[in-house]
Structures are given as structure tokens and as C-alpha cells.
């Protein structure tokens, strides 16, 4: 999947109490509203999941806006060490997914594929939540930030 090139509205449905935060955007990182955000394991600064790599970062949530005084550029907000990305997790969002994701993946771990999509492949990016239902081909509900529970035996 290509990386985001514009801000996007993401369908949400409430799940419990959302976790809300704001994290400083790493220098030169380009972030859009609707991007899946991760925190760099070394600096703790926010970047998009496209720049993550498997296991290299910690998932934060989905970008909901910015602490930014000027008009938000349509080309994305470029981190300069002073702009914060607002994010939330503990919500269910409808995201694009890899073709390998099927209804059989419900209640299993979801991993960041890039800044807008998820996969069932553990080698892609950091874990971001749990699959909660397939809306259509290549569109799934993901409970962001949910812990993955072991299967009942």
C-alpha cells in the first residue's frame, strides 16, 4: 500500500474509554490526520508507521490532529521538534488491510503495515491492536491498542 498523501477521516466506533495523548513529532517526519503513529524506540518522538520497521518502535495510536497554530498544510505536517501530534487509541477504527487478512483473523493481533493500513504479518511493523471484524475486502475494524490475549485452550 502506498503511504498517505493527504489527511483522511477514519470511521470510528467507541470502545470503552479512549486513550488520548500528544507526542512531539520527530524532525522531518511527515504526518497526516488519520496516520498510524508510533514512537521511535530511541528518541520517543512520533513518526508514522511507514518509517517504523518491525519491532523498532512502540505504537501510539491514530493521529487526530496537531498542536499547531498555523493552518494545517494539506501536504502534511512536517516535524520540526516543536509540533505535537494528537492521537488516540482504545477505539475501534476502520482501516485498509493486506489481502492476507480474512474473517479468520478476528480477535487476533494486528500489525502496522504502513501509516494507513494493517496486516496479520508479525514481520511488518509494531503491533497496533486486535482485528474486530471485516467490513469488506481490504477493510477491517481494528481495536487500536488492545492487548492480544492468548487463545483459550
Amino acid at each position: 500500500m502506498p503511504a498517505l498523501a493527504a489527511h483522511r477521516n477514519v470511521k470510528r466506533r467507541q470502545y470503552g474509554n479512549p486513550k488520548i495523548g500528544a507526542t512531539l513529532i520527530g524532525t522531518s517526519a511527515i504526518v497526516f490526520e488519520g496516520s498510524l503513529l508510533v514512537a521511535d524506540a530511541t528518541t520517543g518522538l512520533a513518526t508514522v508507521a511507514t518509517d517504523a520497521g518491525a519491532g523498532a518502535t512502540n505504537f501510539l495510536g491514530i493521529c487526530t490532529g496537531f498542536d499547531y497554530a498555523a493552518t494545517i498544510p494539506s501536504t502534511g505536517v512536517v516535524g520540526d521538534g516543536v509540533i505535537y501530534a494528537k492521537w488516540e487509541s482504545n477505539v475501534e477504527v476502520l482501516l485498509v488491510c493486506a489481502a492476507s487478512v480474512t474473517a479468520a483473523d478476528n480477535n487476533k493481533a494486528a500489525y502496522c503495515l504502513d501509516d494507513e493500513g494493517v496486516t496479520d504479518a508479525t514481520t511488518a511493523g509494531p503491533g497496533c491492536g486486535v482485528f474486530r471484524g471485516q467490513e469488506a475486502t481490504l477493510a477491517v475494524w481494528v481495536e487500536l491498542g488492545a492487548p492480544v490475549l492468548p487463545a483459550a485452550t
Side-chain angles (χ1 to χ4, degrees):
M1 279 180 260
L4 282 177
H7 301 289
R8 67 176 177 152
N9 290 323
V10 176
K11 280 187 178 180
R12 292 177 166 74
R13 56 188 189 192
Q14 191 65 37
Y15 180 83
N17 295 316
K19 179 179 178 182
I20 299 169
T23 304
L24 197 61
I25 302 171
T27 304
S28 302
I30 301 172
V31 178
F32 294 96
E33 289 182 17
S35 294
L36 295 174
L37 295 177
V38 294
D40 181 275
T42 304
T43 65
L45 300 176
T47 188
V48 294
T50 304
D51 302 330
T57 56
N58 300 309
F59 181 73
L60 293 172
I62 193 161
C63 181
T64 58
F66 304 93
D67 181 9
Y68 193 70
T71 302
I72 304 294
S74 62
T75 54
V77 174
V78 179
D80 62 2
V82 297
I83 301 171
Y84 284 82
K86 298 176 184 178
W87 53 266
E88 69 180 1
S89 64
N90 200 27
V91 293
E92 289 184 5
V93 294
L94 186 62
L95 299 172
V96 295
C97 64
S100 60
V101 177
T102 67
D105 289 310
N106 284 347
N107 299 316
K108 293 182 181 174
Y111 300 89
C112 294
L113 181 60
D114 56 23
D115 62 342
E116 68 172 322
V118 291
T119 183
D120 55 348
T122 60
T123 56
C128 61
V130 174
F131 292 112
R132 292 298 187 210
Q134 192 159 14
E135 178 101 349
T137 303
L138 304 181
V140 292
W141 287 98
V142 177
E143 180 186 343
L144 296 178
V148 179
L149 300 175
T153 57

